[in-house]
Amino acid sequence: MRKLLYLILLLGVVTGAGAQQFGGNPPSVRWRQISTDTVRVIYPRGLDSTARRVAAIVHRLAAGTYHPLGNRLKKIDVVLQNQPVNSNGYVSLGPFRSEFYLTPPADNFDQGSLHWPDHLALHEYRHVEQYNNFNRGLSRVMKTLFGQEGYALAVSAAVPNWFFEGDAVYQETSLSAQGRGRMPSFLKAYPSLWNDGKQYSWMKLRNGSLKDYVPNHYDLGYLLTNYGYAQYGPGFWGKVAADAAAYKGLLYPMQQAIRRYTGLSYRKFTNKAFDFYKDRYGLQTAGTYTDSALALLPADHKTLTSYYYPYQVGADSLLYLKVSNKQRPAFYIRSKEWEHRLRFRDISSERQYGYANGRIVYAAIETDPRWAWKTYSALRVLDLQSGKQRRLTKKTRYFSPDISTDGSRIVANKVDLQEHSSLVELDAGSGNLLRAFSAAGIDYFANPKIIDANRVVAAIREMKGTSYIGIIDLQQQHVRALTPASFKTVGQVAIAGDTVYFTGSDGLKDQIYSVTITSGTLRKLKSRENNSYFVNAGPGRLTWSQFTADGFQLRQLPTAAAEWDPVSPGFFTAGTTGIISDTLMAGNGPLDGEAPLPVSKKYGSLTRPINLHSWRPNYDDPEYSFAIYGNNTLNTTETQLYYLYNENDRTHAVGGNITYAGWFPYIGINTQYRMNRHQQVQKKLKEWDQWDHFLSLTVPLSWNDGRWFRFFNAGSSIGYRQDRTKGVNKALFPAADFGYITHSLGFGTQVQQAVQDIYPRWGLSISGQYRYAINKWSSQQLVAKGAVYLPGLFATHSFILGAGYQEAFSKDRLFGSRINFARGFNGPDSARIATVTASYHLPLWYPDWGFANIFYLRRVRGAAFYDYTAVNGRQRGSYTGFQSTGGEVYLDTQWWNQHPLTFGFRMGRLLTPDPVTPGRRWFYEVILPVSLIPR
């Protein structure tokens, strides 16, 4: 019973899936479906082959018994999204569905070289298998009591997120010839910590840090999941996860299940897993592979900082992209004496950029203001000498660009809405297409670099999952392989003269290779360190980034001092990379063969518009409520049915609302019937039932503009209220029907935030609302609010100025106050209220401390504030001022190792008397919970 109460309390804090976009696709998208007893693949017209491929893989996964979690099967809706330019996928509950973002990752060392829809199907369907088979015990009880969101909460509290993602990575790896478990770039995190002598606590590894590099739950999960399968067999995790989801054992069900099936405590199990990998990497002692002599800069142990894609731009000058926990991404030039920031980079989804002869070219993210799924990857050109940047293309899908030495041409990879990849050459002045190349069997042109007027070198991914370094001749429309194709990852290309440099996987390392264009001679750079990336060959020097526990750190070596080992093509492709305890039997996996599927047919965007999936209690002082929620699969409708009880006036109400977001404005309809209202009017008891109806139109716009996020919301709603009097005094109070209209506007803008930023360094938000009654009373209300975000004295500090104004223009006060009052006061209602605030926010401590795998403290931060509120009566002139000042302390915490929650404590002093308690000067308040800024 105690566990059930914990889950119910947490249910109101943690629900939903952040990846979902409400009303994100325009109505012009025509949807189709392939529907079987196992899966319904919903996709935009034109993606038939991809949809059939995904459906076939899902069918073979559902029929297989590769690493069983159980035999429960529930049909899943999979939506293929071809509009977003970021690469992602997820499975959610509330409602139960999956979405694949089909644009492939630009860097081969991100997710590997496997055909992207295949990768998504292998990984995401494992989550479907998890949700289908964890519906047992207390998790099933929560699903019965609260629907899919209750089930999601119960499962996530019992089965840690490291298992969900680690098990899915294991499936993508074991059932294909690629997958992240075979990639040193994915496995590099923990060996880097161990090599640098970092021994973090288990809770820090689970909860992360705002100051240090801590691997995420994907990294941790794969290591533990792979170890469990390797040591205890293919059925091990199915039994452990089933017991955990059923909450067998009073507390810590996952830990108890591991003890039950291994005989080891949770701590001993994880320690033995880490020892297993340390032995594989030969890391029984720290510092084994560190070569500090090559370090270009000393590591900053206080601020996590990474350097990407260094370019030598002069004899002693280096250009790079720098990202730290305290600063957003920016381009820098460093000489021997100083470091100069050129420009903060526009919002982008990839680290790669191209440079030649004083010009930088890179891809930035652009978004459609209304349709959130429609995003673009457009090109920017930055001139180093003038510092000016220009937008070369708009509404394009170009990735990983490079620029020619004379600055006249740009090459990039293009991905169209049918998921076809091509290498394009553009005019650097106009952005016009000059030439393009694509070929059957080629899946992606990663990291293209210009060799000369007609030739480009790139890391080419093939449809079958292999990759190689190849030269594309744009004039002859031909591609020539420089390295043999294999499932070993290659990429991040650089050119110097007749030599191509790149990073390639070798066993448990990613190392620097070179290959000559004319002879094809292949060599590997001798190095004592692991995992080298972003190599650049400048005059007399090789420069690259080495991954360490302090981020990607710069390394440099004189070209003459570099030692190379020759590598034969056979040796280059031989052997395996990464670590995987089980492998696919050739010709017998989910990516092989075909499955009989029905013909596709139309899928309406309003299919199952109600689709109720979850229900839960809520409390928002002074109202208790119980609501039932619904969303359709394409997320164009939201519905809610509810009952509520107001403890102040002891009334009951029932209501419902539905919002449709498939057109340009959101259209909302709401109705609520409140029963047994009562009020004393001139010593007579008035009793009535109240019925309110609402119709609203809202246009929510948000978009990226260079380095800024922006939003603009506009909306209007009309409400109609019907009062039906009853009781002994019914004749004294005739029925009253009246309407009112509300108009609202909102605008905001802010720059990107660094990891440690509490608020954006620069930002602005303004909102206004005007409400007025119609057809009975004359009542009007205007509310306006605004805030300005400014940099503080130091990085990650914030200074915020806020203001608000509210005025009622007539004697009939139908609308309640919506203005913030000075903190600490019992605010009186008034026709005119104005408030100004000033606050300064700063981090105090990053403790990275927790206990019992329940509570974890990531950061303690403080704020000082001053508030002033002026209150006027109905006559202009005289006013009353209320002033307060004080301080606040906030704790940024995580609960159960994965649920974030911020709460705080406020202490202040009233500088003017409070009208309700005039003798009180000091006030104290607990702030729980508080959500300061969405991330």
Side-chain angles (χ1 to χ4, degrees), residues 498-513:
D498 188 46
T499 303
V500 176
Y501 298 87
F502 63 96
T503 295
S505 296
D506 178 25
L508 297 177
K509 299 181 180 181
D510 285 323
Q511 302 197 83
I512 295 173
Y513 288 82

Side-chain angles (χ1 to χ4, degrees), residues 259-427:
R259 179 188 290 272
R260 188 176 302 119
Y261 292 106
T262 67
L264 301 173
S265 68
Y266 194 54
R267 175 173 291 183
K268 286 184 178 178
F269 174 81
T270 57
N271 287 340
K272 286 179 74 69
F274 289 153
D275 288 341
F276 170 81
Y277 292 107
K278 289 177 182 178
D279 184 63
R280 293 289 299 270
Y281 278 92
L283 294 174
Q284 294 300 333
T285 58
T288 306
Y289 298 109
T290 301
D291 194 346
S292 58
L294 302 179
L296 192 60
L297 302 171
D300 187 344
H301 299 298
K302 293 183 178 180
T303 302
L304 182 62
T305 305
S306 288
Y307 303 86
Y308 299 94
Y309 289 97
Y311 284 89
Q312 192 171 335
V313 297
D316 296 307
S317 298
L318 204 64
L319 168 71
Y320 45 76
L321 176 69
K322 178 181 174 182
V323 182
S324 81
N325 280 12
K326 290 185 177 180
Q327 290 283 358
R328 57 193 192 271
F331 296 109
Y332 290 80
I333 284 186
R334 171 176 287 277
S335 68
K336 287 184 177 181
E337 295 81 18
W338 49 264
E339 180 184 68
H340 170 64
R341 186 175 67 220
L342 295 169
R343 189 184 193 275
F344 286 114
R345 188 198 62 186
D346 286 3
I347 299 164
S348 178
S349 63
E350 58 176 319
R351 306 291 191 191
Q352 180 174 329
Y353 66 97
Y355 169 81
N357 198 22
R359 300 177 184 87
I360 290 173
V361 60
Y362 67 99
I365 294 291
E366 295 180 348
T367 59
D368 185 278
R370 171 59 183 87
W371 309 110
W373 284 126
K374 290 185 67 173
T375 60
Y376 307 96
S377 184
L379 301 185
R380 306 284 195 265
V381 178
L382 172 63
D383 186 280
L384 268 61
Q385 184 173 2
S386 66
K388 294 182 178 180
Q389 178 177 284
R390 61 187 177 92
R391 176 181 295 175
L392 181 63
T393 66
K394 294 178 63 176
K395 295 185 177 182
T396 53
R397 296 169 60 87
Y398 297 142
F399 304 89
S400 307
D402 189 42
I403 190 168
S404 62
T405 303
D406 63 3
S408 65
R409 297 175 297 119
I410 288 172
V411 297
N413 181 76
K414 176 186 176 183
V415 181
D416 63 23
L417 292 178
Q418 283 70 47
E419 303 311 307
H420 297 144
S421 179
S422 57
L423 183 70
V424 296
E425 182 185 53
L426 309 172
D427 182 277

